[in-house]
């Protein structure tokens, strides 16, 4: 049963994150399905995170505990361990996770078992294994991207998560074309998409989503041709802003010189 839900918002845009629009809809569905679940959202960009030193003390001298103290990571690790469901939400940044999120993931190494030369798992297991195994804990990744399709572009990120968590040990909810959909506002396509994610949340509260259901969630909202037109319009506007901004700077610079 899902009682405690921790949402890690890894977007540098914090509450303005387009990805969090989907995450909130999915969480609403979980709340409807669970009834009494407690939800907490943590913005990773608001945390004080000291970069990992790579000392590996958490695998040896202080096994299971990082030697770095004085930042927000130890308290967050306790929240992660206490949660029945961990939802990690962030946009795809250059085929990977945002920098703030990577800083945090590196600091979660104490949660992994010490590496003692074991070979990569054959199927479905974490490369290292968990130091504090919790069979009941569930993990969800919600990630958006501006590509026309999720296929291929998420391979590097999912490969990393497969090594850390184990293949098929987490539920990936991938959302291509999402920013365009969100920027359109309260339109019919947007409402259909949010209903889809809320329904998925209700289903997830009852059982694991099937591969077919996960694939359906990753289906782009617009055809490739329509999306190309959206992008052409978007970049034309951005280029116009850039040109206007450049002219303004030139005029101001000239006034200062003269």
């Amino acid at each position: 049963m899902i009682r405690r839900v921790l949402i890690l918002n890894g977007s540098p845009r914090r509450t303005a994150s387009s990805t969090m629009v989907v995450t909130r809809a999915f969480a609403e569905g979980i709340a409807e399905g669970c009834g009494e679940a407690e939800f907490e959202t943590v913005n990773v960009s608001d945390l004080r995170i000291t970069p990992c030193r790579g000392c590996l003390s958490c695998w040896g001298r202080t096994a299971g505990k990082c030697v770095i103290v004085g930042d927000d990571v130890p308290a967050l690790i306790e929240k992660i361990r206490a949660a029945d469901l961990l939802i990690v939400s962030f946009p795809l940044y250059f085929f990977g996770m945002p920098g703030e999120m990577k800083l945090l993931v590196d600091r979660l190494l104490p949660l992994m078992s010490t590496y003692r030369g074991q070979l990569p798992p054959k199927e479905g297991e974490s490369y290292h294994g968990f130091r504090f195994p919790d069979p009941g804990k569930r993990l969800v990744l919600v990630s958006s991207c501006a590509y026309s399709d999720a296929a291929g572009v998420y391979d590097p990120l999912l490969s990393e998560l497969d090594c850390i968590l184990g293949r098929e040990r987490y539920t990936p909810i991938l959302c291509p074309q999402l920013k365009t959909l969100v920027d359109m506002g309260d339109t019919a396509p947007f409402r259909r998409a949010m209903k889809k994610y809320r329904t998925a949340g209700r289903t997830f509260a009852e059982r694991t989503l099937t591969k077919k259901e996960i694939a359906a969630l990753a289906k782009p909202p617009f055809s490739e041709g329509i999306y190309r037109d959206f992008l052409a319009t978007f970049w034309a506007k951005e280029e116009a802003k850039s040109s206007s901004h450049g002219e303004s700077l030139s005029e101001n610079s000239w006034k200062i010189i003269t």
Side-chain angles (χ1 to χ4, degrees), residues 226-247:
I226 291 176
Y227 190 57
R228 282 179 181 272
D229 290 340
F230 282 140
L231 288 179
T233 301
F234 174 80
W235 289 120
K237 291 180 179 178
E238 289 298 303
E239 290 165 3
K241 291 177 185 177
S242 175
S243 175
S244 174
H245 183 61
E247 290 174 1

Side-chain angles (χ1 to χ4, degrees), residues 9 34 38 48 53 56 65 69 74 79 103-104 109 111 124 134 136 147 159 169 207 211 236:
N9 177 11
C34 290
E38 297 178 3
R48 292 173 296 131
R53 299 172 183 169
L56 298 181
K65 185 176 181 180
V69 296
K79 290 179 182 290
L103 279 178
L104 174 59
L109 194 63
L111 296 177
D134 182 355
Y147 291 100
S159 292
R169 293 300 181 92
R207 59 170 174 80
K211 290 183 179 180

Side-chain angles (χ1 to χ4, degrees), residues 26 85-89 138-142 170-173 204:
F26 186 76
L85 169 61
L86 177 63
I87 302 177
V88 182
S89 172
R138 303 172 73 183
L139 299 106
V140 172
L141 164 69
V142 181
Y170 61 98
T171 300
I173 298 177
F204 184 85

